[in-house]
Amino acid sequence: MSTASELQNTVDAMVQPGKGLLAADESGPTIAKRFKTIGIESNEEYRRAWRDLLLSTPGLGEFVSGVILYEETLGQRSDKGTPLPELAVSQGIVPGIKVDLGKIPLAHAPGDEITQGLDGLAGRLAGYKKQGARFAKWRAVYNISPTLPSRLAIEANADALACYAAICQEAGIVPIVEPEVLMDGNHTIARSFEVTEAVLHEVFHALHRHKVVLEHMVLKPSMVIAGSEAGAGAQATVEDVARQTVRVLKRTVPAAVPGVVFLSGGQTPEQATANLDAMNRLGVLPWGLSFSYGRALQEPPLQAWKGLAANAAVAQKVLLKRARLNSEACFGRYEVGMERGEG
Ligand code: 5MM
């Protein structure tokens, strides 16, 4: 099979109506933070058991087309001995892998950060592919203040994202390009719009410079939303978030991009579902709008699980419900009343 056909097949499997991605790619420090909320330590067995629980959820493949994994998970097995990437495939879920190596301060740009991990990436991708990964993910992070992010940070992160995406496509791996404008801070939705527009413009310029084939990538952006410390009065309505997010995408994202899958970024699970739903009620758009949530999918089942095998079935039910509601949101059919009740 040619590399182009391989990429197309993977994109077709990832971008399907009414389906989204499960982001289960928390690095060591992040998963430790999540586990702390349920009072368990982060050791290899708990991490394996949690990711096994997620991937073995009966029926998950009806609403989830792909899962983003962390390197460690690629080599782990289920309780029944099945390699976890294989377990995902058995559910009709495409396995992917987070390949960035996290962020560090950007030199000469106080307050800005740059994502690292390009050195040796081609070699690592070859190994991940052997372990079953068909797509990859790289996250660039932009802090907002009246002066941040700097032009330097916007350009440097765009260049790294594009370089990563080009390396992935050469390897037959579909890149998820994830520029995250953080919700942290007290900024207005207008400032979030301004920064997101500048970031996405620069990202797509860089992707063009690096000859990335837009049809063979997926965009994972943040929504345009007021800062989480902005105070209740400054918070925008669901309709405003939807309108401003779609407005910024229309200005910056070429129609050739097949799928846009949002991160949840610290929104509550219900908020993330409602915002996605409102966007999908705004009429026909050039790209499918779906989800690639981490916290907004995992928080409720994590609280139900609490690290106990006896709670696994209930936790899976909770996960399936969130996945189903987000699937409804992909069609603009979600109603708040659907939150009540079990199933
Ligand atoms: C922004 O985080 C990504 C989406 O998760 P949320 O929906 O919770 O915002 C997520 O995939 C993230 O990139 C991974 O959890 C890895 O994060 P770290 O900080 O561990 O690199």
Side-chain angles (χ1 to χ4, degrees), residues 251-309:
R251 284 189 179 189
T252 55
V253 182
V257 173
V260 175
V261 294
F262 291 98
L263 58 90
S264 59
Q267 299 177 50
T268 65
E270 294 78 11
Q271 212 184 353
T273 307
N275 286 335
L276 176 63
D277 179 73
M279 284 183 231
N280 280 311
R281 288 176 189 250
L282 291 176
V284 180
L285 298 168
W287 349 260
L289 296 187
S290 181
F291 57 93
S292 173
Y293 295 157
R295 282 162 288 182
L297 278 172
Q298 291 189 55
E299 249 169 36
L302 189 65
Q303 296 303 321
W305 179 52
K306 296 203 162 50
L308 300 172

Side-chain angles (χ1 to χ4, degrees), residues 4-339:
S5 316
E6 186 180 21
L7 292 168
Q8 189 60 55
N9 288 346
T10 303
V11 164
D12 291 344
M14 292 169 73
V15 181
Q16 296 185 48
K19 292 192 185 186
L21 308 180
L22 167 64
D25 60 322
E26 298 85 357
S27 60
T30 306
I31 195 72
K33 239 196 294 178
R34 307 281 183 263
F35 280 178
K36 204 167 171 205
T37 67
I38 58 164
I40 63 169
E41 61 165 312
S42 172
N43 59 38
E44 194 183 341
E45 176 47 26
Y46 270 134
R47 293 192 295 272
R48 186 207 63 78
W50 175 238
R51 278 128 182 189
D52 181 10
L53 181 158
L54 295 173
L55 295 173
S56 57
T57 297
L60 192 65
E62 198 183 328
F63 311 117
V64 168
S65 56
V67 60
I68 314 172
L69 302 171
Y70 187 57
E71 192 178 34
E72 174 188 69
T73 317
L74 275 185
Q76 289 177 323
R77 288 173 184 265
S78 72
D79 289 343
K80 294 182 181 149
T82 311
L84 291 180
E86 244 179 78
L87 177 60
V89 173
S90 73
Q91 293 253 49
I93 297 173
V94 184
I97 172 79
K98 164 196 168 76
V99 299
D100 67 70
L101 299 179
K103 54 200 174 56
I104 51 168
L106 177 62
H108 298 305
D112 282 318
E113 294 172 299
I114 179 88
T115 303
Q116 50 183 355
L118 289 174
D119 286 355
L121 178 57
R124 284 196 288 132
L125 286 176
Y128 298 146
K129 208 174 174 188
K130 280 195 192 128
Q131 290 178 287
R134 290 174 60 192
F135 68 89
K137 195 207 84 172
W138 177 290
R139 179 166 71 121
V141 178
Y142 307 85
N143 298 304
I144 294 199
S145 80
T147 53
L148 297 177
S150 66
R151 225 20 254 168
L152 182 61
I154 290 174
E155 287 173 11
N157 276 296
D159 217 56
L161 274 168
C163 203
Y164 138 82
I167 294 170
C168 285
Q169 288 188 340
E170 267 200 350
I173 297 265
V174 170
I176 295 184
V177 171
E178 181 181 2
E180 179 180 13
V181 176
L182 290 181
M183 271 175 74
D184 304 352
N186 59 6
H187 51 271
T188 61
I189 188 169
R191 177 74 182 136
S192 170
F193 183 95
E194 186 178 47
V195 171
T196 306
E197 185 178 22
V199 162
L200 289 177
H201 263 307
E202 198 57 39
V203 166
F204 280 95
H205 278 306
L207 290 168
H208 181 67
R209 267 200 314 277
H210 285 259
K211 302 183 170 49
V212 172
V213 179
L214 299 183
E215 289 82 353
H216 292 160
M217 62 159 273
V218 171
L219 179 70
K220 176 166 172 170
S222 39
M223 296 182 196
V224 174
I225 195 163
S228 50
E229 291 130 48
Q235 291 303 327
T237 62
V238 168
E239 286 68 32
D240 271 344
V241 171
R243 265 197 302 270
Q244 296 306 325
T245 304
V246 167
R247 184 165 157 246
V248 89
L249 294 180
K250 280 183 173 169
R251 284 189 179 189
T252 55
V253 182
V257 173
V260 175
V261 294
F262 291 98
L263 58 90
S264 59
Q267 299 177 50
T268 65
E270 294 78 11
Q271 212 184 353
T273 307
N275 286 335
L276 176 63
D277 179 73
M279 284 183 231
N280 280 311
R281 288 176 189 250
L282 291 176
V284 180
L285 298 168
W287 349 260
L289 296 187
S290 181
F291 57 93
S292 173
Y293 295 157
R295 282 162 288 182
L297 278 172
Q298 291 189 55
E299 249 169 36
L302 189 65
Q303 296 303 321
W305 179 52
K306 296 203 162 50
L308 300 172
N311 295 336
V314 175
Q316 289 182 328
K317 261 192 170 175
V318 175
L319 170 65
L320 193 68
K321 175 179 169 181
R322 278 279 32 104
R324 185 173 54 74
L325 295 185
N326 282 302
S327 169
E328 292 294 334
C330 291
F331 294 114
R333 295 190 311 223
Y334 165 78
E335 304 284 346
V336 180
M338 294 174 175
E339 295 289 349

